[in-house]
Each structure stands twice: as structure tokens, then as C-alpha cells.
Amino acid sequence: MGLLENWLRNWLVNWLRNWQERKWRLGFWCVAVVCGLIVANCQPTNQYTNPSRGDSSNGNTANAGVLVYGSGGQPVNLEPGNFIDGNSAIAQQQIYDRLIAFKDGTVELEPSLAESWTGSEDGKVWLFKLRQGVKFHDGSDFDAAAVKFNVERWWDPQHPQGFRNAGKNYEIWKELFGGFKGEPESLLREVEAVDRNTVKFTLNQAFAAFPTAIASNYFGIASPKAIQQMGASYGVASNSDANSIAVGTGAFRLKEWRTGDRIAFVKNPNYWQKDLPKSEQMVMRFVIDPAARLAQLRATQLDFTVDLAPDQRAEIVSDPNLDAVARPSFNVGYLALNPSYQPLSNPKVRMAIAQAINRKAIVKAFWGDLGISDSHFLPPSLAWAQSSTLGDYEYNPQKAKQLLAEAGYANGFELELWYMPVSRPYFPTPKPIAEAFAADLSAVGIRVSLKTKDWAAYLNDRNKAPGFQSYMMGWTADYGDPDNFYYPHFAANSTKDLGGWKQERLIQLLDRGRAIADIKERAQVYAEVDEILYREVVRIPIVHSQPLLAKRKALTGWIPSPLGVESFATVAK
């Protein structure tokens, strides 16, 4: 323990020297690092089965062919179209392919299960030509009927294999494509299997970004045979045969899901992409605490990991066996204010909250040079769609108090503020960030009660009426268009978490932005959207972050996507 004690002592000394800069987090990080070291040094060895030898290999990354990835939490499920969280997306990316993929490290489209696609002149009809000879992991054929089956499960509330009565809601379909079958807002009118290798989508209105939207990470194509076999249990952790829980065409097959611990994958020997995947096995371990993830990476229990705290960068760089990796920024972390609650129904109160929180200081303290704060919901890489006339929300506690008094709350009020229980790319350390919000709000008389709950329940309950009063959330885009930031958060059917809040002009603009292809016209539309959101203050942008990742130097082939999710098929060590 001598080296460990010396390291910890030096670490504490450095932190104490920087007390003023880190006053919000000192206590938290001392506990976090100590806990992380305890976890790293005391956790029992994990056993993974090598399918080619029938023996076992432990969690040390020296085991050739076994990739060990450190996730910030476990997936909600492994069912395409029925999740919105990043942990589910990462796991599903290994199992499923989509019709269209994104080129490594970019938001540019490239063929996947569809070899080509074309749109009609009016933008309402899209034809996809499918790749032939592809098999699902269970040996069944991938074809146009399989695509139609998957899409109709997501879109049609009456689909017999949708299992809505079991709690499946496919909310992301509604968020990205306006509504479900039979609803007037539904973008999709019909999906047809024209022949074995051709799928036709007919839309109710033009949508220039349709190929990009259907390429998003939610819409992997699953085996109809496996879904019919598993029923409502498909994609859910259970004691059932892992070969049927999640079945796609992807580079890896699901081997095992140990709830609260790990998911194990094995190579798909019949993968349609030649010479992939590079690894025989891949393990996704669930390590919620960022300090514990880094400690396990240093101890060779992990090969690579994500969503580390910006303050950990110096520790990574100082270790000769590690590389710090920055994911390109394409996200927003925000604080949602639910107008269905009093007093948040008053725009003056919402603006007071925006002016009471010292967002720039918080971002500087928690993200350093890996984050920026401004008033735009869109990240800087989409500046062409931002308003050039908007300033930032001014940090002005006195003005915030004045607004509260004008709204009838001179003595403040009580506010429940929910923070997520897991680290995410936009909020790597949710609790201390929430504590910083609470400290600023208390200075203007808003008495904050901090709340949290299990991640799956957090995601689900925010949409149950009346929703959370205020809560932290974020978004890493699914495709490279303003539509993907705005439509899932502000469109007619996308505000359950805000008590069904609607702004009619905003909805009209979002629909128009989807329909037109001219970039200059779209820029004007989205600039007005930006200005409306600034005034309404229902989701306060806190940060656009450049997520910090890390890997061991021996690892090759990992190209992080700006969209936050990538296949590990090319990764090897």
C-alpha cells in the first residue's frame, strides 16, 4: 500500500492548493477517488468464457482477444427503437446494424444494410436497396420483410409484436418522426417491402433529412424470428437464452448479460463486413463512478472507457500506459424547467433561474477547457443555424431577485431538482454539478431539494404526468442536423417531460425546417427557433462538452464518433 498512500497524499496536497477553484467539489472528489481506489484494489476478479477454448479469462486486459470496455452504467434494454440512453446505444451498436451508417469519426452517411437509397423529387418517397446475403445471428435471412417488420413495430401501436401492453413505448420514433401510425402528426404514411431487396418509405410530408434520421443509432434491425420467439421479453435482461434476447446482424453476438455487472459479446463469425470484427470477444463492464473507471483502466482491468471527468485528464496524461482521447463535441447538457408546475409556469421565474445560475463559472470549474457555455441549444458546430443576434443569459443574481419579486415570489420558493444517477458525456459528475446549481439558486431565495433515482426509472418517470419539476438531462445528436436537436425536445409530441408545453410558432418553424432543403432558408428558420427558445427558457443550455475518454496505449482502431456511439468492430489490442 506504500505507493498507493503516497499517490493519494500527493493528490490531496495538490487539490488543497487549488481549493478556491474547486470549492464546490473537493469533498466529492476526495470521496470519489478513495472509493475508486478501493474498488480497483478490492474488486474480485471477473471471469469471461473464451468460446474458442472453453476456458476462462479474468478481467485483466492482458488476455489477448478480449476487449474490456468500461461503461458508465448498464443499458436500459437491448431492444432497437425502445430506448433513448447512451449505454443502451453503445451495447446495441455492437449487436445490430442499421440501414445506413455513419463514416467513422464523422456524421457523413455510408451504406450499411442498405447499399443505396434515393428520394423522390418532392422528398416524400424514399427507396432503399438492401444488401443481399446477410444473415441474422440466429441464421434467419435479412430482407425487406424484416425491415418492414421492425419499422412497423416502432411505428404502429396496434402491431401484434409491439407489446405496448408490456410497457414498451418506442418514444424515440415519435420524437424523431412526429407521431405513430394513425396520428395526424405522423411523418410516415406507409412502409412497403416492394420486393425481397427493396424497401419503400412513403411520407406524409417532405423530410430532407429522412435518410440521416433513419441512420440514427436507435434503429438497428432485429431478427423477427427472435422477437416472435421471446415476445415481450425481447431485449430485456433475463434468465432466458442469451442467443434470443438480442439478435441482429452486427459484428458481435450477445453471449451473456449479468445485470448490474457486465454484458459479454462474442465475434459473429458470419459478419458481412470482411475481416471484422478484429476481436474474438468483447466485454462491457458497468462501472458507474468515473474515478473507479479510471482506476480500473490504470490497473489493466479495462482497455478503454468513456465519460470521464475533465479533472481526470492530468492523471491520464501522466500515465505512460494511457492515452487521453477527446470525443468531438456534438451535444448539449441542459436544465429542464417544467411549466406545468407553479411557479415555473411564469416565464419571469424561468428567466430568473437562468440568470441566477453562474453557468460559465460552473462550466469552467467542472469542465475546464473541455466545455463551453452559451445560450444556444445547438452546439457551436451548427452555428450556421443559430441566431447571430442573441447574447448569453446574463449571470445577475440581483436581476434574478427582481424578476422573482415581479412574478410574486419575493421570498423565493421551493424547487425539486432531479439529477441523473450515472455519468453522461454532457454531465460527467451530475451530483456535484446539481449541488452547484442549488448553491446559486439558494442565493436568490430558491430553496432546492435535490433528488435522484435509478437511471431507467429516471428516464421513464420524467415523462409521467406531471413529470419532474426540474431536472438535468442532455442530448448527444443522432445525426448531424439541427432538426435532431430541436424536434425531439420541442416538437408537438416531444414535451411530455414539460407537462405537454407547446409554443405554436415554434412548432410551425420546426415542421418547416424539416420540409425545406435550401440551407439559407433553413438557417433563417432555425435562427428564429433559437430566439424563441431563449425567451421561453424551458430548457436552459448549460454546456456543450467535449467528452473525455481514455484507453490503454496498446489499443488500436478506436475512432470515437461525435454522435457518442460507435461500433467496436475495428478495435483490437
Side-chain angles (χ1 to χ4, degrees):
M1 292 294 290
L3 290 175
L4 177 61
E5 290 171 351
N6 289 336
W7 181 89
L8 183 57
R9 183 173 60 252
N10 291 336
W11 182 89
L12 288 171
V13 168
N14 289 331
W15 270 86
L16 287 167
R17 287 173 181 166
N18 294 285
W19 161 253
Q20 288 301 319
E21 285 185 19
R22 308 177 190 271
K23 58 185 177 181
W24 285 323
R25 294 173 290 165
L26 181 59
F28 170 83
W29 282 111
C30 289
V31 173
V33 170
V34 172
C35 291
L37 291 168
I38 292 170
V39 170
N41 285 278
C42 301
Q43 186 164 349
T45 299
N46 296 300
Q47 300 295 317
Y48 313 126
T49 300
N50 186 321
S52 65
R53 294 190 317 225
D55 62 4
S56 62
S57 55
N58 62 34
N60 189 300
T61 66
N63 295 298
V66 183
L67 283 179
V68 186
Y69 165 76
S71 170
Q74 79 169 349
V76 172
N77 65 58
L78 296 179
E79 181 173 29
N82 192 35
F83 70 95
I84 64 166
D85 67 297
N87 294 324
S88 295
I90 283 285
Q92 293 195 32
Q93 183 80 1
Q94 317 314 318
I95 298 169
Y96 303 103
D97 294 309
R98 304 176 308 285
L99 292 177
I100 306 173
F102 297 99
K103 292 181 181 178
D104 290 345
T106 76
V107 294
E108 297 177 38
L109 299 180
E110 68 176 6
S112 182
L113 291 177
E115 291 186 310
S116 64
W117 54 94
T118 55
S120 63
E121 235 178 82
D122 64 2
K124 292 184 179 181
V125 179
W126 293 89
L127 282 177
F128 288 74
K129 292 293 185 179
L130 305 183
R131 190 177 301 278
Q132 299 182 41
V134 177
K135 297 279 189 182
F136 289 104
H137 300 154
D138 59 9
S140 59
D141 292 333
F142 164 77
D143 56 18
V147 175
K148 176 180 168 69
F149 176 92
N150 277 265
V151 171
E152 289 189 333
R153 285 186 79 230
W154 306 325
W155 172 54
D156 184 359
Q158 303 304 317
H159 195 282
Q161 301 296 323
F163 305 108
R164 259 72 171 184
N165 58 354
K168 299 177 187 289
N169 58 32
Y170 310 101
E171 66 173 293
I172 194 62
W173 180 271
K174 190 167 187 172
E175 289 183 2
L176 296 189
F177 298 108
F180 295 120
K181 185 176 182 179
E183 296 178 345
E185 300 89 355
S186 175
L187 182 67
L188 182 63
R189 178 184 297 176
E190 186 179 18
V191 56
E192 303 172 68
V194 177
D195 58 41
R196 184 174 176 81
N197 302 307
T198 309
V199 178
K200 178 181 177 181
F201 294 90
T202 303
L203 310 182
N204 285 310
Q205 65 184 56
F207 184 22
F210 180 76
T212 316
I214 205 70
S216 62
N217 295 302
Y218 305 107
F219 304 121
I221 304 299
S223 162
K225 177 182 174 182
I227 292 171
Q228 290 164 351
Q229 177 182 334
M230 293 298 295
S233 297
Y234 185 83
V236 179
S238 68
N239 293 323
S240 302
D241 182 4
N243 291 325
S244 300
I245 291 175
V247 180
T249 61
F252 291 95
R253 294 188 293 108
L254 178 67
K255 175 176 172 55
E256 180 185 36
W257 183 353
R258 296 188 191 176
T259 302
D261 183 16
R262 78 194 70 163
I263 292 178
F265 307 84
V266 293
K267 179 178 182 176
N268 175 8
N270 302 311
Y271 192 43
W272 56 270
Q273 291 202 54
K274 189 177 179 181
D275 299 326
L276 294 178
K278 296 295 186 182
S279 300
E280 293 292 327
Q281 294 186 82
M282 199 270 286
V283 173
M284 178 179 181
R285 295 192 58 213
F286 316 142
V287 187
I288 293 176
D289 181 59
R293 286 201 298 281
L294 181 53
Q296 291 184 24
L297 185 71
R298 297 187 70 177
T300 74
Q301 292 177 297
L302 302 176
D303 289 305
F304 58 135
T305 191
V306 295
D307 301 342
L308 296 172
D311 272 347
Q312 295 173 288
R313 187 177 188 177
E315 184 181 349
I316 297 166
V317 171
S318 69
D319 191 320
N321 298 308
L322 303 183
D323 286 326
V325 181
R327 187 183 296 280
S329 178
F330 207 58
N331 62 28
V332 60
Y334 61 84
L335 177 63
L337 303 177
N338 188 339
S340 70
Y341 284 89
Q342 294 289 350
L344 299 180
S345 59
N346 190 321
K348 287 187 175 182
V349 172
R350 301 197 298 268
M351 183 61 77
I353 290 174
Q355 295 191 327
I357 297 175
N358 193 345
R359 293 156 45 253
K360 289 192 181 299
I362 290 172
V363 169
K364 178 66 176 174
F366 286 90
W367 284 268
D369 60 358
L370 291 174
I372 67 165
S373 181
D374 58 31
S375 63
H376 306 290
F377 202 77
L378 297 180
S381 53
L382 292 175
W384 65 267
Q386 296 175 349
S387 171
S388 60
T389 63
L390 281 186
D392 201 354
Y393 293 111
E394 179 189 12
Y395 170 60
N396 190 328
Q398 290 306 313
K399 192 169 183 180
K401 288 180 180 180
Q402 179 184 336
L403 286 170
L404 289 175
E406 291 174 6
Y409 297 95
N411 296 321
F413 59 92
E414 294 184 356
L415 177 72
E416 286 190 352
L417 195 161
W418 291 77
Y419 64 90
M420 65 257 303
V422 297
S423 106
R424 303 302 306 129
Y426 33 80
F427 287 130
T429 53
K431 185 177 181 181
I433 295 169
E435 289 170 343
F437 294 162
D440 282 349
L441 292 173
S442 69
V444 299
I446 299 175
R447 299 172 293 281
V448 175
S449 174
L450 294 179
K451 305 279 187 179
T452 193
K453 60 172 59 179
D454 171 77
W455 183 224
Y458 187 96
L459 292 172
N460 186 58
D461 292 354
R462 70 197 173 97
N463 286 324
K464 287 183 179 178
F468 298 152
Q469 191 175 10
S470 69
Y471 78 100
M472 292 165 60
M473 197 62 194
W475 184 262
T476 298
D478 308 300
Y479 52 91
D481 193 276
D483 176 80
N484 188 233
F485 280 90
Y486 286 143
Y487 214 85
H489 291 94
F490 304 104
N493 290 314
S494 301
T495 56
K496 281 185 181 178
D497 62 321
L498 301 178
W501 174 86
K502 286 182 174 63
Q503 214 274 6
E504 291 304 325
R505 177 59 179 167
L506 179 62
I507 293 170
Q508 292 171 7
L509 289 167
L510 293 181
D511 287 339
R512 177 160 173 71
R514 292 190 134 199
I516 56 180
D518 183 81
I519 191 71
K520 290 183 179 179
E521 286 187 58
R522 297 187 84 215
Q524 292 174 354
V525 166
Y526 289 127
E528 187 176 347
V529 168
D530 199 10
E531 291 162 7
I532 290 172
L533 294 178
Y534 179 90
R535 295 192 301 269
E536 293 291 348
V537 209
V538 290
R539 302 190 198 273
I540 303 173
I542 301 297
V543 67
H544 302 289
S545 71
Q546 194 173 8
L548 178 63
L549 327 176
K551 70 178 186 69
R552 296 198 64 80
K553 284 192 178 294
L555 193 82
T556 62
W558 185 28
I559 307 175
S561 167
L563 301 173
V565 177
E566 61 275 344
S567 169
F568 300 147
T570 59
V571 182
K573 62 178 183 179

